[in-house]
Amino acid sequence: MNVNVNAPELESSDHEDERVFSIDFKRYFSALRKYAWLIAAFVVLSIGCAIIYTIRMTPIYEAKASVQIEPRLPDLLGTGDMFNVAGGNNTAEYYRQQRQVLDSYKLSKQTVTEYDLAPKLLAPRELKALAREDQIDLAARRLTTMITVKYPEQDRIMYVLVRSTDKKLATEIANDHVATYVNYARGLLIDSSSVASSALQQEFNEIEAKLRAAEDKIYQFQRDNDMVAVTLKEHQALVTANIMSFTQKLNDARGDEITVSSRLAE
């Protein structure tokens, strides 16, 4: 007769595996009921600490100012090229450059200087320890970290965001920075207009000199060949009339320039 002596061992092993993988939920529920008040107290304490921390935090305000940037400057001379700074495929590059200008240290420094923001951005001990130029430099660097420039919609409107613990100061700085940029852009236009006016005046002088020389050569040729049909006085009057015509065109161009500048200043 054969006896299987291994069967009880296998059965015992199966029961041990079942005990290992079984979970006694009753024991856990019993533990939760036993320590329910302690767990509840811990949750309430955590929520209370979070609320106190939030209340004691210094609020950060964000102010937003916008500026609309035109894609090209006015063409005062009608050339179509001199002031075309953002024509064709250069538009995206132009707006990328303007965004960099708005976010630059140079413009921040100009804003600090024009609106005297150093006392508002620096601590009293910093103002006392630093020279005026160093105050402006530190305030400009600090302002740069406060400013964020966004161009979300690609619609010529850029937004200047300023974050500060002082709500009023954030609003003031945002408006001041946009105003500084507008003055900067207008200054570029005025400088370009001055250059254009100087170029026009120089061109007029050159044309006047060439006209006088040409008229003198023609008169000399006619006199040498007995072809003079008008007197010297009449000849001079003709030259003067031509010069007056050029002068009138120059005055008209300057008048158009003044009209455009006055519109920009409005």
Side-chain angles (χ1 to χ4, degrees):
M1 182 176 64
N2 295 326
V3 179
N4 188 357
V5 296
N6 294 327
E9 294 181 0
L10 292 174
E11 185 177 354
S12 176
S13 178
D14 292 339
H15 286 298
E16 290 178 357
D17 292 339
E18 290 178 1
R19 286 196 298 270
V20 169
F21 291 103
S22 64
I23 300 176
D24 189 357
F25 289 102
K26 292 183 178 180
R27 186 173 64 179
Y28 289 110
F29 285 133
S30 176
L32 287 175
R33 286 195 300 269
K34 183 178 180 179
Y35 299 104
W37 291 106
L38 181 61
I39 295 173
F42 178 76
V43 172
V44 171
L45 180 62
S46 299
I47 295 175
C49 290
I51 294 175
I52 294 174
Y53 175 77
T54 303
I55 294 175
R56 293 177 62 87
M57 282 182 61
T58 303
I60 303 296
Y61 299 97
E62 182 178 86
K64 179 169 68 174
S66 62
V67 56
Q68 180 173 337
I69 304 175
E70 296 300 329
R72 58 186 297 166
L73 298 177
D75 183 2
L76 300 179
L77 299 181
T79 61
D81 294 323
M82 182 173 293
F83 295 96
N84 188 5
V85 297
N89 297 327
N90 295 327
T91 302
E93 177 65 19
Y94 172 70
Y95 281 107
R96 186 183 68 82
Q97 293 175 355
Q98 298 310 303
R99 183 173 181 175
Q100 290 178 346
V101 170
L102 276 167
D103 204 20
S104 66
Y105 164 81
K106 180 179 180 181
L107 196 69
S108 294
K109 184 176 182 180
Q110 188 67 23
T111 301
V112 170
T113 303
E114 288 188 5
Y115 295 94
D116 193 24
L117 296 179
K120 300 178 182 180
L121 296 175
L122 302 181
R125 58 182 180 82
E126 294 174 328
L127 294 172
K128 186 176 181 180
L130 298 175
R132 175 60 179 172
E133 189 62 29
D134 294 332
Q135 292 176 7
I136 294 176
D137 176 72
L138 180 58
R141 296 183 185 280
R142 191 163 295 173
L143 178 59
T144 303
T145 63
M146 298 168 59
I147 291 177
T148 303
V149 179
K150 293 186 177 181
Y151 187 37
E153 300 295 336
Q154 309 296 312
D155 57 356
R156 306 188 203 174
I157 300 178
M158 292 192 181
Y159 298 93
V160 176
L161 309 179
V162 179
R163 295 171 62 89
S164 174
T165 56
D166 188 332
K167 182 178 181 180
K168 183 178 179 181
L169 180 62
T171 304
E172 179 182 346
I173 291 177
N175 292 329
D176 290 345
H177 196 66
V178 168
T180 302
Y181 170 79
V182 172
N183 293 334
Y184 162 81
R186 186 176 296 170
L188 289 182
L189 178 60
I190 293 174
D191 291 342
S192 300
S193 301
S194 301
V195 171
S197 179
S198 300
L200 186 62
Q201 180 65 49
Q202 182 179 359
E203 183 179 359
F204 169 76
N205 294 334
E206 293 176 355
I207 292 175
E208 179 183 5
K210 291 179 181 179
L211 178 62
R212 287 182 180 275
E215 292 286 351
D216 290 340
K217 289 181 179 179
I218 292 173
Y219 181 78
Q220 185 65 35
F221 176 80
Q222 290 176 342
R223 191 179 65 177
D224 293 342
N225 294 275
D226 296 328
M227 298 172 59
V228 178
V230 295
T231 63
L232 179 61
K233 185 175 181 180
E234 292 174 340
H235 169 73
Q236 291 177 344
L238 182 61
V239 173
T240 300
N242 290 333
I243 293 175
M244 291 297 295
S245 177
F246 278 104
T247 302
Q248 183 62 39
K249 292 181 179 179
L250 175 63
N251 291 335
D252 292 341
R254 286 179 172 173
D256 293 339
E257 177 187 349
I258 294 173
T259 300
V260 173
S261 298
S262 61
R263 288 178 181 177
L264 290 172
E266 294 178 354

